[in-house]
Amino acid sequence: MSEHNHVVNKDGEVALGKVDDALNRIDDERQEEILQSFESFKKYLGERVKLAQSMGMSEETMAQAAEKVGNYLAAKEDPRNREEKLLQELWNAGDQEHRHALAHMLVRLAQKAH
């Protein structure tokens, strides 16, 4: 896979515009595995946050990426459990500022979970 397919390039720069493309490349089976339970979702998010931290990514950048993921999930995925349903309802109830704050909280939750 060439560099233009990645969210983060070899210099560690983040292309937030590529987050949706990266999410669309996750096959259905893997996506179901990630979203089957809130614990598996937190584990997956925690792994991604740990990777982002190891690359020197700031919490703000991670929150911006988490916000993109939240927008994607809210638009394209049905909640599979109570926790995901609550997150979706909170996401949909909030405006841009609230969603960004929730994305920060999800990053912090993932940091503690991993």
Side-chain angles (χ1 to χ4, degrees), residues 82-99:
R82 291 179 304 199
E83 296 88 352
E84 289 175 7
K85 179 68 175 159
L86 175 61
L87 282 174
Q88 183 186 57
E89 288 185 20
L90 289 170
W91 196 263
N92 290 335
D95 60 18
Q96 183 67 29
E97 184 178 337
H98 295 117
R99 291 175 182 169

Side-chain angles (χ1 to χ4, degrees), residues 44-61:
Y44 177 80
L45 191 57
E47 291 167 354
R48 295 303 172 258
V49 166
K50 185 177 179 180
L51 176 63
Q53 287 174 318
S54 73
M55 297 170 62
M57 197 177 295
S58 70
E59 182 179 324
E60 179 60 28
T61 302

Side-chain angles (χ1 to χ4, degrees), residues 31 51 71 100 109:
Q31 195 173 58
L51 176 63
N71 286 333
H100 188 69
L109 176 70

